[in-house]
Amino acid sequence: GAVVSQHPSRVICKSGTSVKIECRSLDFQATTMFWYRQFPKQSLMLMATSNEGSKATYEQGVEKDKFLINHASLTLSTLTVTSAHPEDSSFYICSARTSGGLEETQYFGPGTRLLVL
Amino acid sequence: GENVEQHPSTLSVQEGDSAVIKCTYSDSASNYFPWYKQELGKRPQLIIDIRSNVGEKKDQRIAVTLNKTAKHFSLHITETQPEDSAVYFCAASIPVREYGNKLVFGAGTILRVKS
């Protein structure tokens, strides 16, 4: 149980284009999904938290107009990197939580490696 | 504040020896402390977690201890094996009004088990 998928697994795009990444909880409903960015040999940095049916909550320093998050259903959240630039190249990982309130366990997707040329 | 310190950054042990990784946190409201193992290019995998109402938890060769007074928690791996080699991250929960809580991660520890 508690399987999270992510698509695509890797993407190469030109500078200035937009890239959409999907995160799905396959066998449970996730009211909350998290989006992280991980640079090589570094830790996971939370970018934003996605709540089904409401606006995403962004961490300090993360541009909400650049990283668009949509959580349209209890099993799907999307992250769109708009007008991507080479410095946006990174490993993007989502996680999903089985329920809100006292349940804190997060299960991670396999990640999306983004390379912007 | 939101800060989790993790030490050491790298750890090399001989196969069969024990490995200990330590973390400290700053937010006294933190009450959930998971540990994740991440292999190169893969997703973080939850290996063990502990909540603030207990001081120790064990699962086969892995154990975690928590000292809420001192705000630190540790991961202990006994009888290490080469397949234990990976990056290990600790994390602490931080309450968030809008959605309950979030996790703040430590910087990670590269564990190498030499055979």
Side-chain angles (χ1 to χ4, degrees):
Chain A
V3 178
V4 178
S5 71
Q6 217 173 309
H7 179 81
S9 58
R10 60 178 64 226
V11 58
I12 301 173
C13 69
K14 292 182 179 179
S15 186
T17 60
S18 294
V19 174
K20 179 185 281 189
I21 303 169
E22 291 186 352
C23 178
R24 293 181 186 273
S25 56
L26 298 184
D27 53 0
F28 65 97
Q29 293 186 330
T31 52
T32 305
M33 290 184 171
F34 301 85
W35 287 96
Y36 295 85
R37 182 165 51 183
Q38 187 178 33
F39 291 108
K41 299 185 179 180
Q42 293 190 21
S43 187
L44 296 121
M45 298 303 296
L46 181 64
M47 299 174 64
T49 304
S50 162
N51 292 284
E52 189 267 337
S54 64
K55 287 184 180 179
T57 303
Y58 288 82
E59 295 298 297
Q60 193 171 7
V62 177
E63 300 174 58
K64 62 181 180 181
D65 294 330
K66 180 169 179 63
F67 299 99
L68 302 178
I69 289 173
N70 184 280
H71 194 151
S73 76
L74 286 172
T75 59
L76 173 64
S77 176
T78 60
L79 168 68
T80 301
V81 183
T82 62
S83 187
H85 291 285
E87 57 265 30
D88 298 323
S89 299
S90 187
F91 193 47
Y92 291 85
I93 314 177
C94 71
S95 73
R97 194 164 63 190
T98 51
S99 64
L102 298 177
E103 180 58 62
E104 306 96 338
T105 303
Q106 292 185 27
Y107 298 93
F108 283 85
T112 296
R113 194 161 298 282
L114 171 63
L115 177 61
V116 184
L117 302 176
Chain B
E2 301 179 6
N3 194 36
V4 176
E5 300 275 344
Q6 184 172 345
H7 299 281
S9 57
T10 60
L11 178 59
S12 290
V13 299
Q14 202 64 38
E15 182 178 1
D17 288 350
S18 295
V20 180
I21 303 171
K22 298 182 179 182
C23 289
T24 60
Y25 61 97
S26 57
D27 194 326
S28 57
S30 295
N31 59 8
Y32 173 66
F33 309 90
W35 285 87
Y36 287 87
K37 175 184 179 182
Q38 186 180 30
E39 297 177 2
L40 188 63
K42 302 284 182 63
R43 77 182 81 196
Q45 297 270 16
L46 178 70
I47 56 171
I48 196 168
D49 56 14
I50 191 167
R51 287 176 170 80
S52 59
N53 55 346
V54 296
E56 184 173 358
K57 184 177 177 181
K58 190 173 182 180
D59 182 5
Q60 299 183 336
R61 297 187 296 111
I62 296 173
V64 57
T65 59
L66 170 65
N67 183 327
K68 281 221 76 177
T69 303
K71 294 183 186 170
H72 64 70
F73 56 113
S74 301
L75 177 72
H76 304 251
I77 305 174
T78 58
E79 300 172 30
T80 54
Q81 301 166 1
E83 49 266 38
D84 294 331
S85 298
V87 181
Y88 290 80
F89 292 99
C90 65
S93 66
I94 302 289
V96 179
R97 180 175 53 85
E98 291 87 345
Y99 54 83
N101 63 73
K102 65 180 180 182
L103 294 178
V104 175
F105 285 82
T109 296
I110 300 172
L111 174 63
R112 296 192 184 94
V113 181
K114 297 175 287 186
S115 56

